[in-house]
Amino acid sequence: MDDFSSNRYYELFSKQKLNQYAIGSRSYKERLKTLNKLQVAIEETYRVQIQEALRKDLGKPVVETELTEIYAIIGDIKYAKKHLRQWMRKQQVETPLALLGSSAYIKYEPKGVCLIISPWNFPFNLTFGPLVSAIAAGNTVIIKPSEMTPHSSKIMASLIGDVFNEDHVALVQGEVEVSTELLKLPFNHIFFTGSPHVGKIVMKAASQHLASVTLELGGKSPTIVDKTANIDKAAKKIMWAKFLNCGQICVSPDYVLIDESVKTEFISSCKKWLQAFYNDNPKASDSYGRIVTDKHFERLSSYLENAKTLNAKFEVGGKMNRTSKYIEPTIISGLKPEAKLLEDEIFGPILPIVTYKRLDMAMAYINSKPRPLALYIYSKSKANTNTIINSTRAGGTCINNSILHYTNHNLPFGGINNSGIGKSHGFFGFKAFSNERAVMKQHTFGVTELLFPPYTGFKEKLARLTVKWF
Ligand SMILES: NC(=O)c1ccc[n+]([C@@H]2O[C@H](COP(=O)([O-])OP(=O)(O)OC[C@H]3O[C@@H](n4cnc5c(N)ncnc54)[C@H](O)[C@@H]3O)[C@@H](O)[C@H]2O)c1
């Protein structure tokens, strides 16, 4: 249901604006208490409701919900709780000789009133993940989840209402108009997760108030499989990663670039693993999801039509059912460069296979496209792996696996240019929602005072000395 009223948003925003200093000055222990409250609500009170909502919105199997939504958020909360005291501490920095008699530190202070706009593919994970960073950093927050997963949004609204006062954290539901109205408000920081297309709209709106932004976007994440790779293991991991959440993951392997000499072996291993994962019948399998909306189903089926028109080879799958929004795990080779599957981010259970003759050709292909969020490498060769990493650019990379770099809280998560701006997770998320305030304190007489006007010949010599020696 749309919660659409610009006055209501202005009121909410104003309440949070007034309250931000009280929230921001809460102690470590108080922030910890808030994180604990959120953890209990997710882990205990709402756990079953979260599972049910995701089953209704995305046909998500319970195991996937547990791992990719509940475990992911609880992991974020636990990590933040473990490190928060240290993150909140003043970070002392060195003092250069020229500033003798002073000391300095960095204070991570809350940015203020923040907006989180989240997508539908992991509705809980991608809403609560940034929220954990935002509240750990001491901000107030307005959240706008995706309209495409209404059951999840409803549960999140209820959970947020239970845990927070609305002058600290509030959730508003609705479609594009709601985001548009919210984006008119002078937020201190906007954290957006979604498509590059909408990311540009968000950045433009943010520029009106010079709000800082974190943009977690998408794009085509390539997977290179070279001829030294363990082909069977690579196929197993890629089949898992590609068809998890029906391919509707920002870091899903979008397409495979494979040495032409190992393509046949790879495809036959892929077939074997798909049969094993889904008992040779994904449609009847509890382990396989569905496409989120009719619109996305139509988009994906148009890609398959386009591939057929261009005489591509369907190595696996291709069957669809409009009513249940089912698309079979599908692998396609022999695509012409102009195929839609090689142009748009797929975000669905279709895997194009592109062959290369030489590794440098694979890298040139990747570098001819916008910079990806993730680049995966399957190889036993250290030299090949290093060459690929050094000759390409990507938000993140996983070697001999896919997706899992996302789950390590010690790594920054985010894209580069078209795939995103800024980083999240762990300390990087805390930093995204903090202003790094530079504080310098003069204790005694400062050397710089010797250089105050009037500028005598002695001071000129002193200035030269400073440039030379300090
Ligand atoms: N980098 C990441 O962490 C990450 C994670 C998940 C998804 N994604 C990306 O998100 C995309 C899929 O998600 P989606 O379809 O929900 O993305 P989307 O960009 O269509 O929507 C994301 C959010 O923006 C809002 N929105 C849509 N149009 C808007 C507009 N014109 N103005 C303001 N707000 C608007 C939506 O209501 C939703 O809440 C893919 O590109 C995927 O790669 C990125």
Side-chain angles (χ1 to χ4, degrees):
M1 192 182 73
D2 278 11
D3 184 5
F4 180 72
S5 146
S6 47
N7 280 344
R8 159 102 180 107
Y9 306 149
Y10 182 72
E11 228 175 75
L12 252 184
F13 177 86
S14 304
K15 276 188 192 173
Q16 293 202 354
K17 193 175 168 191
L18 268 180
N19 197 31
Q20 61 172 310
Y21 298 101
I23 296 291
S25 58
R26 282 188 180 171
S27 66
Y28 157 71
K29 281 197 174 143
E30 286 169 305
R31 290 193 201 177
L32 209 61
K33 214 165 133 189
T34 311
L35 289 168
N36 277 329
K37 225 171 143 186
L38 182 63
Q39 181 175 345
V40 171
I42 295 165
E43 210 171 16
E44 294 169 22
T45 326
Y46 282 90
R47 191 177 200 137
V48 175
Q49 293 180 62
I50 292 173
Q51 290 168 359
E52 281 165 5
L54 284 164
R55 173 63 85 180
K56 286 181 192 155
D57 283 333
L58 288 160
K60 203 176 256 203
V62 172
V63 176
E64 278 187 24
T65 295
E66 284 289 318
L67 287 176
T68 63
E69 302 268 12
I70 293 168
Y71 167 80
I73 310 158
I74 299 302
D76 285 342
I77 296 176
K78 284 185 177 166
Y79 189 88
K81 285 193 322 192
K82 189 170 164 202
H83 297 276
L84 187 59
R85 191 196 288 272
Q86 187 207 334
W87 295 345
M88 286 174 73
R89 234 178 242 151
K90 294 173 187 169
Q91 312 278 323
Q92 295 290 339
V93 296
E94 282 182 12
T95 302
L97 261 184
L99 295 176
L100 207 68
S102 71
S103 63
Y105 64 88
I106 301 164
K107 178 184 178 348
Y108 288 99
E109 65 182 13
K111 281 196 170 162
V113 189
C114 301
L115 173 65
I116 294 175
I117 301 180
S118 53
W120 52 265
N121 60 330
F122 290 94
F124 290 89
N125 182 343
L126 297 173
T127 304
F128 288 132
L131 178 66
V132 170
S133 298
I135 58 172
N139 297 279
T140 66
V141 187
I142 296 179
I143 300 168
K144 209 300 275 174
S146 173
E147 65 280 17
M148 300 213 201
T149 39
H151 298 96
S152 301
S153 297
K154 201 171 151 203
I155 298 300
M156 283 194 275
S158 167
L159 190 155
I160 294 290
D162 278 359
V163 176
F164 299 97
N165 289 330
E166 66 173 18
D167 59 3
H168 184 187
V169 179
L171 184 147
V172 294
Q173 297 181 61
E175 305 202 3
V176 177
E177 317 82 78
V178 175
S179 298
T180 308
E181 285 305 313
L182 286 169
L183 285 169
K184 289 179 188 162
L185 297 168
F187 284 97
N188 299 105
H189 186 73
I190 302 173
F191 190 108
F192 170 80
T193 309
S195 59
H197 166 69
V198 180
K200 289 174 194 165
I201 296 172
V202 170
M203 196 160 171
K204 199 168 173 190
S207 75
Q208 294 307 303
H209 304 287
L210 293 177
S212 52
V213 290
T214 306
L215 304 176
E216 294 287 359
L217 311 177
K220 295 182 83 62
S221 294
T223 297
I224 298 183
V225 181
D226 80 4
K227 61 182 171 197
T228 73
N230 180 324
I231 298 299
D232 194 47
K233 277 193 181 163
K236 184 181 187 183
K237 288 170 188 165
I238 295 168
M239 290 303 95
W240 164 74
K242 177 70 195 187
F243 298 106
L244 182 69
N245 210 33
C246 243
Q248 301 166 114
I249 306 183
C250 58
V251 282
S252 201
D254 187 272
Y255 62 99
V256 166
L257 268 166
I258 192 164
D259 189 293
E260 62 180 12
S261 64
V262 287
K263 177 193 158 196
T264 311
E265 183 188 349
F266 177 74
I267 289 174
S268 104
S269 275
C270 290
K271 284 181 187 160
K272 179 185 86 181
W273 288 115
L274 283 177
Q275 281 168 0
F277 289 169
Y278 306 118
N279 209 12
D280 214 4
N281 187 0
K283 199 171 181 187
S285 167
D286 284 340
S287 305
Y288 189 69
R290 295 293 182 269
I291 306 306
V292 65
T293 57
D294 292 335
K295 195 174 139 212
H296 280 282
F297 180 88
E298 294 307 331
R299 179 180 62 82
L300 291 162
S301 67
S302 81
Y303 292 165
L304 294 182
E305 281 310 313
N306 175 261
K308 274 182 201 153
T309 316
L310 295 170
N311 293 322
K313 184 170 178 204
F314 282 59
E315 304 276 2
V316 179
K319 290 198 199 90
M320 295 178 277
N321 182 295
R322 192 161 266 109
T323 321
S324 58
K325 298 194 280 288
Y326 167 78
I327 296 183
E328 199 177 7
T330 300
I331 300 177
I332 301 181
S333 68
L335 282 159
K336 299 212 167 73
E338 67 271 26
K340 283 208 176 110
L341 281 167
L342 295 183
E343 277 178 358
D344 299 351
E345 177 183 5
I346 298 172
F347 222 62
I350 307 167
L351 182 69
I353 309 280
V354 179
T355 55
Y356 67 82
K357 284 189 199 312
R358 291 192 328 262
L359 195 57
D360 61 319
M361 294 163 99
M363 292 183 290
Y365 182 83
I366 291 169
N367 289 340
S368 71
K369 311 259 171 206
R371 295 184 165 170
L373 183 58
L375 189 160
Y376 301 117
I377 304 166
Y378 285 84
S379 173
K380 280 195 219 143
S381 158
K382 235 184 194 169
N384 284 358
T385 305
N386 288 339
T387 306
I388 296 168
I389 291 182
N390 292 333
S391 315
T392 57
R393 301 289 178 270
T397 277
C398 218
I399 303 158
N400 291 327
N401 218 325
S402 308
I403 294 182
L404 294 183
H405 64 300
Y406 176 90
T407 63
N408 184 340
H409 292 101
N410 300 307
L411 285 174
F413 179 75
I416 169 168
N417 302 126
N418 195 65
S419 56
I421 292 177
K423 302 288 170 182
S424 59
H425 289 185
F427 182 57
F428 306 96
F430 179 86
K431 251 171 81 168
F433 283 101
S434 302
N435 173 46
E436 292 154 295
R437 187 169 183 162
V439 183
M440 195 196 104
K441 185 175 178 188
Q442 191 69 57
H443 299 291
T444 52
F445 173 76
V447 197
T448 43
E449 282 172 46
L450 294 173
L451 293 162
F452 288 178
Y455 298 128
T456 57
F458 165 72
K459 287 178 185 174
E460 200 182 321
K461 271 189 203 150
L462 202 61
R464 288 217 183 100
L465 213 70
T466 310
V467 173
K468 193 164 178 192
W469 294 108
F470 295 110

